[in-house]
Amino acid sequence: ATISMTTAYGSRSEVVLPDGSVVKLNAGSSLKYHFDKIQKNRTVDFSGEAFFEVAKSRQPFVIHTPDCLNVKVLGTKFNLNAYPEDHLIETSLVEGKVELNIDGSTGLVLNPGQIASFDKQSKEFEYVTGEVSHQLGWTQDKLYMENMSLQEVCTHLERWYDVNIT
């Protein structure tokens, strides 16, 4: 079974996947969920930003971004920020454990309370200091702007309200 969901800029939505996982999609995001009965795995092609509450299962849940980053989880809660136009992909872990990798090679493992970024150009991972709760602010209609450039603030507001800021 394949399920597709897209949110336009200026809107948000929530979807419950057939395995019981809940995904809150931020503005300008899309996902395509597929369960392979033969391989016994759950895969998601994802772009944008979303908060995932992945249902625990023996079947792996793997998210693929357009920039070749894979996020592998078994049962967890985390935020994934992977807009195609941004040069960094950020993952913030609330609960459980996630593994970040490129094409199955060794990457980074996150524990609860940790944030990691992946640089699309250099293909490098690094742990980032910050508050995980601030990364999830969008799910409560909040934008935390600590150490954020004006350009980043404008990008967030453009997505939220579907406007162009010059």
Side-chain angles (χ1 to χ4, degrees):
T2 299
I3 291 179
S4 297
M5 182 79 170
T6 301
T7 56
Y9 284 116
S11 66
R12 297 185 195 134
S13 60
E14 184 173 306
V15 62
V16 179
L17 301 175
D19 66 355
S21 296
V22 178
V23 184
K24 294 179 182 177
L25 292 168
N26 202 349
S29 302
S30 66
L31 71 76
K32 185 184 285 185
Y33 170 89
H34 179 73
F35 175 66
D36 187 324
K37 292 179 182 175
I38 297 167
Q39 298 284 332
K40 300 255 189 254
N41 63 15
R42 304 169 287 170
T43 58
V44 174
D45 292 320
F46 177 74
S47 174
E49 182 171 22
F51 181 72
F52 291 83
E53 295 183 51
V54 179
K56 290 186 182 350
S57 171
R58 286 193 178 92
Q59 294 136 354
F61 188 101
V62 180
I63 300 167
H64 305 287
T65 72
D67 305 284
C68 301
L69 176 70
N70 302 315
V71 181
K72 183 178 178 183
V73 301
L74 294 173
T76 188
K77 295 180 183 179
F78 65 99
N79 194 73
L80 177 60
N81 187 333
Y83 285 102
E85 62 272 21
D86 292 350
H87 74 282
L88 291 177
I89 295 177
E90 285 196 340
T91 309
S92 309
L93 185 60
V94 175
E95 185 180 294
K97 189 178 278 192
V98 297
E99 175 190 305
L100 309 174
N101 67 60
I102 311 166
D103 299 327
S105 62
T106 305
L108 208 61
V109 174
L110 282 180
N111 292 308
Q114 290 186 313
I115 303 169
S117 71
F118 170 71
D119 188 308
K120 296 177 187 179
Q121 292 173 334
S122 68
K123 305 288 188 206
E124 292 181 354
F125 295 97
E126 72 174 354
Y127 291 105
V128 177
T129 57
E131 293 287 329
V132 169
S133 60
H134 290 190
Q135 303 292 320
L136 308 176
W138 69 269
T139 63
Q140 300 166 350
D141 295 326
K142 295 178 182 173
L143 174 61
Y144 292 94
M145 296 179 279
E146 191 174 339
N147 296 323
M148 191 180 285
S149 70
L150 183 58
Q151 183 178 356
E152 289 174 295
V153 171
C154 289
T155 300
H156 283 281
L157 294 176
E158 285 177 338
R159 290 173 180 156
W160 265 13
Y161 297 108
D162 192 20
V163 297
N164 288 322
I165 299 173
T166 54

